[in-house]
Amino acid sequence: MSQLKSDEFPAFYATYIDTVFGDVMQVLKEQTTSFPAFLDAIPAGRSEYAYAEGKWTIKEVVGHVLDTERIMAYRALRFARNDTKALPGFEQEDFVANARFNERSLTSLAEEFVLLRKSNIALFNTFNETELNRRGLASDRLISVRAFLYIIAGHLNHHRNIIKERYLDTMV
């Protein structure tokens, strides 16, 4: 797979994409084991912690990562199949508020992540260079199929870092 070019994605996604180094498919595969291991190391009782009023709990952050991966993979599929219809954005706050992530165990969220990621990797492995280069409008912005792979990997990296820095580094 060729490397991502800066004209394949809106600039605001660079925050995520810049955290992905090397072969994006290898990064996605590695995350399939490293992220659940990271979640498993979170101390019991900490998963419902929010570092400030109005912020998500760790479970909600993980659920947000799951929802976002699903949406980005769906967008990638639509554009890879040469669907030229513009796709709408989504309101992440509404998704989290209506998902009941705190009613679930962190283990169940980690298990769901593994299943979702393996399924998406299987899909992404079917894309050829022509399909990866296809572009479409999502949230009123032009983006390539290939960019979604980097966004998915980078979005997880971004939120894993937030969990480390804002949720776990505050432990006494």
Side-chain angles (χ1 to χ4, degrees):
M1 174 183 307
S2 62
Q3 291 293 30
L4 190 63
K5 298 173 194 82
S6 63
D7 70 343
E8 292 185 64
F9 60 92
F12 66 85
Y13 281 123
T15 301
Y16 305 140
I17 292 167
D18 289 348
T19 70
V20 180
F21 301 100
D23 179 354
V24 69
M25 290 303 293
Q26 278 306 116
V27 172
L28 291 165
K29 288 175 190 170
E30 181 274 329
Q31 289 174 334
T32 304
T33 55
S34 67
F35 190 59
F38 169 75
L39 296 177
D40 190 50
I42 293 174
R46 192 68 172 181
S47 62
E48 292 182 19
Y49 168 75
Y51 67 89
E53 183 70 31
K55 295 297 181 181
W56 296 336
T57 66
I58 291 174
K59 287 181 185 178
E60 289 171 327
V61 171
V62 174
H64 163 71
V65 168
L66 292 168
D67 282 350
T68 302
E69 178 157 341
R70 278 191 175 93
I71 291 165
M72 297 301 167
Y74 172 73
R75 290 172 174 180
L77 173 64
R78 293 275 304 263
F79 297 159
R81 300 298 191 253
N82 214 21
D83 186 339
T84 57
K85 293 175 197 73
L87 301 178
F90 72 102
E91 180 47 60
Q92 65 184 15
E93 295 293 337
D94 291 342
F95 271 54
V96 171
N98 290 288
R100 302 181 330 277
F101 293 124
N102 286 324
E103 295 175 16
R104 297 179 54 190
S105 70
L106 197 54
T107 300
S108 78
L109 292 166
E111 290 168 351
E112 183 179 341
F113 168 78
V114 171
L115 294 170
L116 174 63
R117 178 55 64 87
K118 285 182 177 182
S119 175
N120 285 334
I121 288 170
L123 171 66
F124 300 155
N125 278 327
T126 70
F127 297 160
N128 64 27
E129 274 303 308
T130 298
E131 293 159 340
L132 289 166
N133 284 320
R134 286 186 179 142
R135 298 171 192 224
L137 284 176
S139 300
D140 299 319
R141 292 177 176 89
L142 192 63
I143 189 164
S144 74
V145 171
R146 180 185 357 269
F148 286 118
L149 280 60
Y150 283 84
I151 292 165
I152 288 169
H155 184 254
L156 185 144
N157 289 340
H158 170 78
H159 283 292
R160 181 174 25 199
N161 288 336
I162 287 176
I163 291 170
K164 282 182 196 174
E165 295 166 7
R166 298 183 189 168
Y167 292 80
L168 302 178
D169 279 356
T170 60
M171 294 172 51
V172 284

